[in-house]
């Protein structure tokens, strides 16, 4: 026992230093000057009811509402959103300022101390660079969630590697490392993820680096390249749907019970997803068909160049029409079960020179590489980032860190 108070050994305790009041500022006000009431809007609660509770009379409330109306419609207060009332620090406890926070960063001030003034404000957002790593046990989202990392990171990774890694078939033991920016207000409250500066993903023992690099600073064009300055993009996305699973692959010898176990070739790849999930074009191209037809149901076909076309069947709703130009990743429709299908999915068909082929067996071309004259700058830029990535421990085992700390 070593942590006992020394005063019992007869050493006089020092007189406590005079406590200086801590000045607390928020929303541009010194909170110490007010009686501060922080609460959240209740369901069905109105602006008037809140002010009434804080000793503002109704004629005054109408005046405030009318004066604020050009900046803010007081009927738009949403249940569950936080608000702050700054009231007089005397026995009247009369409200003087009402502050509403529609989200974590922005706020609206209605100040009726003297005249009625309204203004919008934004909390200062601090960007902190962070690192993370993980090993896939069952799924990427599990690896992210088990470490209390922001779930957006899983989405960002699947975007960065959308062309190079099949995220529906991650393997146990696949791993990742990230250098990314996280945004905070008040130094502690996370409000989102910024740029993913660098990533490293090992899939089936193949490591793939990804570095975000600005290739045109005036237009703020940036993209991800590997450690050899090769683009991670391919001409085609691996899947027309984010986060789904393949329920049936391209298979010329497929047998179906329903048809008496006879061979019914499946020339598409089925991606199961719930009704309404957005379907993306897997590459840039022009819509050549968008219509309803028999077994296909609602479908869209896109011609990408003289060699390749893709086709998307069974949509609930189509979002493009014949002749439209679409970019890779654009939403062209929504998953449904129109036509000949037993459940909601998109049947993705990949045409090469007028014949349907298995997209997963094609050697598909890469997108544009990084420009030659940018390469030197690129290598200088990624040098320290790569070192930093390599030094990120393979996994933060928080429980182990905690155990080590407590043994001291
Ligand atoms: Zn199919």
């Amino acid at each position: 026992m070593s942590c006992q108070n020394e005063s019992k050994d007869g050493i006089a305790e020092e007189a406590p230093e005079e406590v200086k009041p801590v000045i607390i500022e928020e929303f541009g006000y010194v909170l110490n000057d007010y009686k501060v009431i922080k609460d959240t809007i209740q369901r069905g609660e109105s602006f008037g009811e809140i002010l009434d509770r804080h000793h503002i009379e109704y004629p005054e409330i109408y005046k405030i509402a009318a004066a604020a109306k050009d900046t803010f419609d007081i009927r738009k207060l949403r249940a569950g959103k936080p608000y702050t009332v700054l009231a007089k620090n005397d026995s009247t406890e009369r409200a003087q300022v009402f502050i509403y926070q529609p989200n974590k960063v922005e706020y609206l001030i209605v100040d009726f101390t003297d005249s009625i003034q309204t203004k919008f404000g934004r909390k200062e957002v601090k960007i902190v660079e962070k690192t993370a790593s993980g090993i896939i046990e069952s799924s990427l989202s599990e690896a992210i969630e088990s470490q209390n990392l922001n779930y957006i990171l899983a989405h960002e990774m699947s975007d960065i590697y959308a062309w190079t890694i099949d995220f529906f078939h991650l393997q146990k033991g696949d791993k990742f490392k990230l250098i990314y920016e996280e945004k905070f207000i008040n130094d502690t409250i996370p409000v989102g993820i910024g740029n993913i500066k660098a990533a490293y993903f090992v899939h089936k023992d193949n490591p793939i680096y990804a570095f975000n690099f600005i290739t045109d600073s005036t237009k703020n064009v940036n993209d991800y390249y590997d450690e050899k300055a090769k683009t991670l993009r391919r001409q085609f996305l691996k899947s027309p749907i984010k986060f789904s699973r393949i329920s049936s692959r391209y298979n010329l010898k497929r047998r179906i019970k329903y048809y008496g176990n006879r061979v019914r070739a499946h020339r598409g790849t089925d991606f199961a997803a719930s009704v309404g999930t957005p379907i993306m074009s897997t590459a840039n191209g022009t819509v050549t068909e968008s219509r309803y037809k028999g077994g296909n149901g609602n479908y869209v076909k896109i011609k990408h160049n003289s060699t390749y076309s893709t086709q998307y069947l069974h949509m609930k709703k189509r979002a493009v029409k014949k002749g439209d130009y679409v970019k890779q990743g654009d939403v062209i429709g929504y998953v449904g079960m129109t036509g000949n299908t037993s459940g909601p999915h998109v049947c993705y068909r990949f045409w090469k020179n007028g014949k349907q082929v298995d997209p997963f067996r094609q050697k598909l071309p890469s997108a544009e590489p990084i420009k030659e004259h940018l390469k030197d700058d690129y290598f200088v830029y990624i040098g320290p980032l790569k070192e930093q990535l390599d030094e990120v421990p393979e996994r933060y085992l928080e429980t182990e860190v905690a155990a080590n700390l407590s043994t001291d």
Side-chain angles (χ1 to χ4, degrees):
M1 287 296 182
S2 62
C3 290
Q4 285 176 358
N5 202 318
E6 290 182 13
S7 65
K8 86 169 186 153
D9 301 326
I11 299 164
E13 278 181 273
E14 278 178 52
E17 271 179 64
E18 201 177 318
V19 181
K20 279 194 195 143
V22 182
I23 304 285
I24 303 169
E25 266 194 71
E26 200 180 6
F27 310 114
Y29 292 87
V30 176
L31 299 191
N32 311 47
D33 296 345
Y34 298 89
K35 179 171 185 262
V36 179
I37 304 102
K38 282 185 179 276
D39 208 337
T40 52
I41 310 282
Q42 303 301 304
R43 189 176 289 277
E45 190 174 43
S46 73
F47 181 67
E49 281 165 4
I50 295 168
L51 290 200
D52 182 49
R53 203 157 58 231
H54 296 290
H55 315 293
I56 305 288
E57 303 73 31
Y58 258 95
E60 179 75 8
I61 292 171
Y62 292 133
K63 239 170 74 186
I64 294 168
K69 129 175 151 313
D70 289 341
T71 325
F72 179 68
D73 183 350
I74 51 126
R75 287 168 303 180
K76 288 200 177 135
L77 296 181
R78 284 189 35 215
K81 298 293 180 190
Y83 70 87
T84 305
V85 170
L86 304 182
K88 258 197 174 153
N89 214 352
D90 61 18
S91 60
T92 69
E93 297 188 349
R94 190 179 149 87
Q96 296 190 292
V97 185
F98 173 82
I99 300 150
Y100 173 65
Q101 290 175 265
N103 56 58
K104 282 177 181 161
V105 177
E106 292 168 315
Y107 54 87
L108 169 90
I109 299 174
V110 185
D111 185 326
F112 34 92
T113 310
D114 302 312
S115 59
I116 300 160
Q117 292 180 329
T118 55
K119 90 173 190 218
F120 280 105
R122 285 180 70 84
K123 297 216 166 195
E124 195 191 334
V125 176
K126 248 193 203 161
I127 292 176
V128 178
E129 188 179 289
K130 294 193 148 198
T131 58
S133 67
I135 300 176
I136 312 297
E137 301 284 352
S138 58
S139 70
L140 179 59
S141 48
E142 182 259 357
I144 293 279
E145 276 162 16
S146 67
Q147 300 182 75
N148 282 324
L149 297 171
N150 190 319
Y151 189 68
I152 299 288
L153 292 173
H155 278 270
E156 295 280 352
M157 262 189 277
S158 73
D159 276 349
I160 293 169
Y161 292 106
W163 296 266
T164 42
I165 294 172
D166 181 356
F167 270 75
F168 311 115
H169 292 89
L170 292 182
Q171 308 249 314
K172 189 173 175 196
D174 282 359
K175 49 199 171 191
F176 65 87
K177 294 179 180 184
L178 293 172
I179 302 173
Y180 66 101
E181 294 169 343
E182 189 157 10
K183 298 177 192 168
F184 291 90
I185 52 168
N186 301 347
D187 289 334
T188 49
I189 303 168
V191 290
I193 297 296
N195 187 25
I196 310 281
K197 296 175 84 172
Y200 172 78
F201 206 107
V202 182
H203 177 51
K204 294 182 183 167
D205 296 326
N206 288 313
I208 306 177
Y209 283 94
F211 299 97
N212 186 250
F213 187 65
I214 296 173
T215 50
D216 184 339
S217 51
T218 51
K219 288 184 194 149
N220 196 24
V221 178
N222 64 86
D223 210 342
Y224 287 89
Y225 300 91
D226 71 8
E227 78 279 18
K228 290 176 183 137
K230 282 203 190 119
T231 176
L232 290 182
R233 284 179 190 278
R234 298 292 179 270
Q235 200 181 341
F236 290 90
L237 291 174
K238 288 240 176 201
S239 157
I241 293 182
K242 276 187 195 178
F243 289 104
S244 95
R245 64 189 170 80
I246 292 176
S247 48
S248 170
R249 283 188 176 262
Y250 180 97
N251 180 1
L252 295 178
K253 294 185 188 132
R254 181 176 67 163
R255 288 174 192 277
I256 292 188
K257 259 210 181 114
Y258 182 80
Y259 297 110
N261 260 343
R262 277 183 300 155
V263 171
R264 297 275 301 206
H266 185 223
R267 294 191 166 84
T269 307
D270 291 345
F271 293 88
S274 51
V275 170
T277 304
I279 301 168
M280 302 176 293
S281 175
T282 53
N284 297 355
T286 303
V287 177
T288 53
E289 291 171 48
S290 172
R291 60 188 183 123
Y292 188 98
K293 185 180 146 193
N296 286 0
N298 275 313
Y299 77 97
V300 168
K301 191 171 182 183
I302 297 166
K303 185 175 179 175
H304 305 291
N305 53 36
S306 58
T307 311
Y308 299 107
S309 292
T310 54
Q311 197 182 7
Y312 312 78
L313 314 186
H314 314 312
M315 291 176 175
K316 177 179 189 231
K317 218 182 133 195
R318 290 171 275 124
V320 290
K321 53 186 193 307
K322 191 175 168 179
D324 285 352
Y325 179 75
V326 293
K327 290 226 231 27
Q328 185 174 60
D330 281 355
V331 174
I332 53 167
Y334 301 90
V335 171
M337 40 191 303
T338 56
N340 196 357
T341 163
S342 55
H345 75 280
V346 55
C347 183
Y348 175 58
R349 295 178 171 223
F350 198 89
W351 297 76
K352 184 181 183 185
N353 296 321
K355 268 187 163 164
Q356 296 188 62
V357 297
D358 183 352
F360 293 98
R361 301 249 170 136
Q362 307 301 310
K363 267 250 171 233
L364 295 169
S366 294
E368 262 189 55
I370 200 165
K371 299 256 184 324
E372 229 17 78
H373 72 274
L374 288 172
K375 277 193 179 166
D376 286 347
D377 286 352
Y378 177 77
F379 289 122
V380 169
Y381 172 74
I382 71 160
L385 270 180
K386 183 169 178 296
E387 255 172 51
Q388 195 188 342
L389 254 191
D390 291 343
E391 279 165 19
V392 173
E394 287 233 315
R395 191 184 196 182
Y396 292 118
L397 289 173
E398 281 177 33
T399 46
E400 272 183 23
V401 173
N404 287 340
L405 286 176
S406 62
T407 51
D408 277 20

